[in-house]
Amino acid sequence: MEKTRSSFSGKLGFILAAAGSAVGLGNIWRFPYLAAKYGGGTFLLIYIILSVTFGFALMVAEICIGRKTGLSPIGAFGKLNKKFSFLGYLAALIPVMILPYYSVIGGWVTKYFFSYATNNIPTNSAAVTDKSSIFSDFFNNFVCDTGSPILWFLIFIGVTALIVWFGVEKGIEKVSKIMMPVLVFLSIGIAIYVLFQDGALEGAKYYLIPDFSNMTPQTLLMTVVAAMGQLFYSMSLAMGIMITYGSYMKKDVNVESAVHKIEWFDTGIAFFAGLMVIPAIFAAGGSGIEKPGPGLMFVALPSVFDSMPGGKIIGTVFFLLVFLAALTSSISLMETVVSIFQDKFKMRRGTSCAIVLGICVLLGLPSSLGFGIWDITSYIGMTFLDLFDLLSNYILMPIAALLTCILVGYIIKPKAIIDEVELSGKFKHKKLFVVMIKYIAPVFLLIILVSSVLDTFSDSFTI
Ligand code: PHE
């Protein structure tokens, strides 16, 4: 690295930046539709267990790898063990796969924000019984179109690239300090409102109470695979982002307590997003719960806002906050890739930004067009967007996580990480960390990897 590394001002700065990266569309858009799809309460329970064990161990490991080496992923893995340099490249590939389709959804959010702000969202007529149908038509007409989703996708990714280019993250950090609490407050408020609607309690039951009775070993495994993929995605793990952030972290910040805070914050927002969206579908007549997909949030919530007093304003504020949350995440995704290009190819920041933007626009087009003219569902049973999502979350991330566990558990040994944590105090969950990294996580990841690969090549796996 040529430039000297800046560091966060203190513990709060680090937590906010890491939380800004972690909290995003993963929590508000992806979590609710996966929870709806994989059995509600069962998914929620499995997710929480994984988050406090597996997510905790992996996040501690990644942050410490970054802080110990003071390098971003490619250099960091290589410094720990020459043979593992490739892991840095693998980790760097993952954001390149995620950012394009992330920005497609970011574009949808931007479009919804503008539609609310300019009063261009349809309104329900009392005569319709399935209240969500009018909103699902609105959503489908939009995503199946050609030009409009591309335009919004370009706007979203363009804004991301501009911010990364000009480096105004400082301003963004300030915005997110205000935005995060408002987002939490608004989500809780909307969730409470939704719960008072007719039929919503059925949805809350489905979401909160695990029901293992009609689970087969096969569906249970699929649920664990999905929850694990979601965990990586939501906590920005297994792709080098936390390593980069760790490299900026000061030595006297307590890693363990910082990780606990990020983990609870991230899981908390996802939890309330689920509590808004899932009961809302039940309240709106249930359509959508049978086959939940990426459009779930864009159908369920407008239908709720429509029935709320002041719903248009709430809708506007809500989509603005989601837009900002998505932006802080997309910035962290792009920043990682841009800085790798800069370091590796000794490129200027502007050049590296332009190249990354070009690659992401090309890779994003199939995801954007995949609901309309490039619909490939009849060939492979899923859209391009689902395909990118599947490849990154269920295949590449488990591979990166597995290799990280092997590196930490058996090559540099857990003690190297424990010593790093203990630079700033006692490591309270040391035993949990060692057992997870050495034994449970690798076995788990291996099972997950094998089953995702098998399922990808059989017809039964559709997202
Ligand atoms: N964690 C972010 C979210 O939940 C997405 C993300 C993934 C951001 C990977 C950065 C890196 O939306």
Side-chain angles (χ1 to χ4, degrees), residues 15 19 22-23 27 47-49 51-53 56 59 184 235 256-272 429:
I15 291 177
V23 174
N27 309 60
Y47 184 83
I48 292 177
I49 295 175
S51 152
V52 295
T53 52
F56 166 76
M59 196 180 245
V184 175
M235 288 174 67
E256 191 176 15
S257 82
V259 168
H260 279 312
K261 293 211 173 71
I262 301 166
E263 169 187 286
W264 281 110
F265 195 64
D266 190 61
T267 306
I269 301 231
F271 173 79
F272 284 110
H429 296 94

Side-chain angles (χ1 to χ4, degrees), residues 21-27 98 102 232-236 239 241 266 329-330 332-333:
S21 165
V23 174
L25 295 174
N27 309 60
I98 294 185
Y102 197 86
F232 294 139
Y233 190 92
S234 189
M235 288 174 67
S236 306
M239 60 190 100
I241 289 190
D266 190 61
S329 300
S330 63
S332 77
L333 281 163

Side-chain angles (χ1 to χ4, degrees), residues 7-15 63-64 67-68 246-258 419-426:
S7 59
F8 291 110
S9 42
K11 186 171 169 186
L12 191 65
F14 171 78
I15 291 177
I63 290 176
C64 286
R67 191 169 78 168
K68 194 175 163 61
S247 73
Y248 297 134
M249 192 189 209
K250 288 196 175 142
K251 294 279 185 196
D252 58 354
V253 174
N254 187 320
V255 178
E256 191 176 15
S257 82
D419 289 346
E420 185 65 34
V421 175
E422 292 192 330
L423 287 180
S424 53
K426 196 167 158 2

Side-chain angles (χ1 to χ4, degrees), residues 115-179:
S115 302
Y116 268 101
T118 54
N119 210 356
N120 276 322
I121 283 280
T123 299
N124 225 334
S125 80
V128 194
T129 46
D130 181 356
K131 290 193 249 160
S132 57
S133 70
I134 180 165
F135 297 104
S136 56
D137 289 348
F138 179 74
F139 174 74
N140 287 329
N141 288 339
F142 166 58
V143 291
C144 297
D145 189 16
T146 305
S148 177
I150 290 187
L151 177 73
W152 291 104
F153 156 59
L154 292 177
I155 292 176
F156 185 86
I157 199 159
V159 172
T160 306
L162 273 183
I163 295 176
V164 172
W165 190 339
F166 286 114
V168 290
E169 290 97 332
K170 284 270 159 355
I172 287 283
E173 243 169 60
K174 287 208 187 92
V175 174
S176 57
K177 254 188 213 163
I178 309 166
M179 177 196 91

